[in-house]
Amino acid sequence: MLSLLRRIVQEVGLASDLEGALQLVVRRVREAIAAPSCSIYLLNASAQEYVLMATVGLHQAAVHRVRIEVNQGLIGAIGQREEPLNLKDASIKPYFFSDPQAQAEYFGFLGVPIIHRREVLGVICTQKTEKQAFQEDEEAFLVTLAAQLAGVIAHAMVVGVYPAEGIYPKDEQETACLGGVPAVAGVGIGRTKVIYPLADLEAVPDRPCASIEAEIQRFEEALQSVREDIASLQERLTESLSQDELTLFSAYLHMLDHRGLGLEVNQEISVGQWAEGALRRVIKRQVMHFSAMDDRYLRDRAEDVLDLGQRILFYLQKKMRLPLDYPEHTILIGEKISAADLAEVPIDRLEGLVSYSGSHNSHVAILARALNIPTIMGASGLAVSELEDKAAIIDGYYGHLYIHPSEKLLKDYTLWAKEEDELDIELQSLRDLPAQTPDGQVLSLLLNAGLASDAGLSLTTTADGIGLFRTEISFMARDRFPTETEQRTIYRQLLQAFSPRPVVMRTLDIGGDKPLPYLPFQEENPFLGWRGIRFTLDHPDIFLMQLRAMLSASEGLNNLSIMLPMITSVEEVDESLQLIQRAYAELNAEGLKMSKPKVGVMLEVPAAIYQVEALAKRVDFLSVGSNDLTQYLLAIDRNNARVSDRFDALHPAMLQALQFAVQGAHAQGKPIGLCGEMASDPVSVVLLMGLGFDHLSMNAAILPRMKWVIRSIPHHRAQELIVQAFQLDNAALIRLAVEKVLDNAGLGGLIRAGKR
Ligand code: PEP
Ligand code: MG
């Protein structure tokens, strides 16, 4: 059964139109269970009804016509109860299920809900003529199939092969709203630009082409390149393959023939589709066609078609990795947007960013925050491929993207966007004032940085220094490890620019979601694997090179602090301190004169929180990495869109951990700060003040806003809020309580669009 399941899901995954795929599923289920009838109903949420989408055993004319209200009959009951129903006789009350479309009289009934991320998407059911319930293994089969199908249906909705009624605006101009995790606050108004990964046929969007002839020409050239590749492959392998095996290549060439694939793609292009979109459509159709064949040999040809499609796509894209034409006000959208994609857009054109994968703490979101680009992560609800070049508004406070916004929405958001700009200008008046609460408590505000060019920030920022320099970024941007001299140059630039202000440099924190392209290693759980200090301690050569570069860069400046990431136990600190001492002694012996750097530890693994005093005794300062601490304390992947709504740094357990850390550090007389994304969230900043943090580190763009928070809320009020927060047992209530205080203090503009 497992291989059958796998095959069904594979076939569905390859489908270019979901309805055809569902029809395939019902046929396969009928074969597997040997029941005469199987049907799939999908929910049309806007009409609150289930629509029959595919069937065997009911009349085909019933497809799309049979509609069942969500609270009606057996199908409605399965959806409402969210569990399977297995009945000996579905014709008796209370479950009376008699279908006028049935081709026979059915009694035994098994129905299973199709659920994706807690939402019922539909129901799959099978029926038989005997008065007999289905067997347990048949029920288990259908439940497993429904669970796998759910992901595929949900994905089909995202990529647009299932334009379900009620999901898309009926009228092109009707406003549609797409939701996700609010990752960077702010408002952006502009036009959408969809980007997609190269060589991924599935992700290619539909796009009109400017000239049909030029497009056909481009496609023909790509086709010819693939033909040449295949022919030369065939020639090269003539010696080593049998004649039978070589016929496969002839079959490929045949498929690439003008009368085959080429003809169909050209037909799609001639109605105005660009070559990539036309190719995607044709390949999906053909894959579907082959997958549905009963003959195993022909079914396997689906893989070949897909492979050929990818090869043609490769050549199409090779010829034109476009300097994309970005609209003047771009809202960038993609299933998966990387930091490199973001970097490609001219920054003055970027109004917003919407990624279908990833979460609030993904590194691309952190980069967007540093650039102050309103951002939504883990978005869902509309098909990426349908979102090209649409008028849109992004609300990064609530995580909403409006497509075809109404005049009223446009008017409101234009006003709010203007107010946001005014607020930023007003906040410049705080530039030279300290981050001091109205009752005199001072917090040190520092910057998070990662690029050599961030040295330029020293001229514009009033930050007290750098609180986190992510050194791995310059390691990631190369095709080999940077030499000691190259590293020293980068570090020196930053230390010099900020001198005499302190600069905290974090030692290499690779692993997790930050692999080095030139040091690939596979791990099943990279976030629990060879990360941060674990890697550098296992590679003293690389670690020492970095330490020497940092220390020598600080000669004559003496404003360097070194911070150790991912510390889990005291031995790691002791070993690191020895290596720092060794590097220092070596450089001294070489004649360099610099003062000893301060050394700090990041508290980002829960174990480190509970050893805070032992750690604090060994070092000069501590800094909480709230991104990873939240991830490890709540056991929620910081990059996984599926669980991102559960990722909340205000979880009561986090607040307890933070309080424990602050008390432990202070008991040892050591300062403690926080350098994760919590320090960029106004609600969290109030609570961090109340908890007694000494310094906060954040990106340059958000700093004036956080200074405004600190200068507006008295320290004693923040302490009262902490007491109140500890009495609440869920993050949403804690957030609400603090938002009320921010609102009353006139800081509503920090938690929603606009100034108030
Ligand atoms: C953190 O984990 O909070 C942190 C600051 O480090 P990074 O986001 O680079 O893992
Ligand atoms: Mg971290």
Side-chain angles (χ1 to χ4, degrees), residues 25 49 54 130 223 239 273 292 338 373 417 452 467 571 580 668 674:
V25 172
E49 62 187 13
E130 300 83 23
L223 201 62
E239 304 282 281
Q273 182 66 240
S338 67
I373 308 296
E571 295 91 313
I580 294 172
Q668 291 301 321
L674 186 141

Side-chain angles (χ1 to χ4, degrees), residues 61-293:
V63 170
H64 292 171
R65 295 235 182 91
V66 169
R67 289 168 183 250
I68 301 172
E69 284 176 32
V70 286
N71 51 7
Q72 213 186 42
L74 266 182
I75 302 297
I78 293 166
Q80 271 175 340
R81 293 162 48 135
E82 300 187 351
E83 60 182 0
L85 265 180
N86 188 354
L87 302 172
K88 188 171 146 195
D89 184 357
S91 67
I92 52 169
K93 288 189 177 175
Y95 292 128
F96 181 69
F97 186 75
S98 138
D99 202 313
Q101 305 293 340
Q103 291 171 335
E105 202 173 356
Y106 298 125
F107 296 101
F109 174 96
L110 169 62
V112 172
I114 303 170
I115 299 179
H116 181 69
R117 296 177 69 180
R118 298 193 191 182
E119 273 186 47
V120 176
L121 302 181
V123 172
I124 177 165
C125 63
T126 175
Q127 292 168 266
K128 57 183 168 185
T129 47
E130 300 83 23
K131 282 196 179 166
Q132 192 185 55
F134 282 82
Q135 288 171 12
E136 257 185 30
D137 62 340
E138 292 170 333
E139 185 177 326
F141 170 79
L142 211 61
V143 168
T144 317
L145 179 66
Q148 302 215 16
L149 212 50
V152 178
I153 294 173
H155 183 252
M157 287 174 172
V158 168
V159 298
V161 292
Y162 170 49
E165 234 181 295
I167 291 178
Y168 295 105
K170 288 178 206 82
D171 156 4
E172 261 285 288
Q173 291 313 311
E174 199 173 305
T175 303
C177 181
L178 176 151
V181 178
V184 182
V187 169
I189 302 173
R191 288 198 84 77
T192 54
K193 181 87 204 167
V194 174
I195 52 159
Y196 54 92
L198 285 182
D200 181 356
L201 201 54
E202 175 98 359
V204 167
D206 281 341
R207 205 173 263 177
C209 65
S211 150
I212 290 175
E213 270 128 59
E215 209 59 12
I216 288 183
Q217 169 77 12
R218 204 162 67 80
F219 172 70
E220 287 296 338
E221 282 170 16
L223 201 62
Q224 186 52 30
S225 305
V226 177
R227 272 195 213 109
E228 284 164 15
D229 279 359
I230 304 264
S232 73
L233 204 62
Q234 186 178 25
E235 207 178 293
R236 245 189 314 130
L237 294 173
T238 313
E239 304 282 281
S240 19
L241 292 182
S242 73
Q243 207 47 41
D244 256 9
E245 286 159 336
L246 282 171
T247 52
L248 186 65
F249 293 99
S250 312
Y252 279 177
L253 289 170
H254 188 66
M255 284 185 207
L256 295 171
D257 199 282
H258 282 287
R259 281 152 295 151
L261 245 167
L263 181 68
E264 272 193 67
V265 175
N266 282 342
Q267 279 165 352
E268 290 276 351
I269 297 176
S270 20
V271 291
Q273 182 66 240
W274 71 325
E276 282 86 337
L279 180 70
R280 188 203 72 230
R281 288 168 173 226
V282 171
I283 294 291
K284 289 198 104 182
R285 245 188 344 250
Q286 297 240 359
V287 165
M288 190 59 204
H289 173 70
F290 280 111
S291 303
M293 302 222 169

Side-chain angles (χ1 to χ4, degrees), residues 576-595:
S576 304
L577 289 172
Q578 275 170 19
L579 287 168
I580 294 172
Q581 177 54 35
R582 193 170 129 193
Y584 183 77
E586 279 172 15
L587 290 167
N588 249 334
E590 289 166 27
L592 267 72
K593 294 278 165 281
M594 65 253 140
S595 63

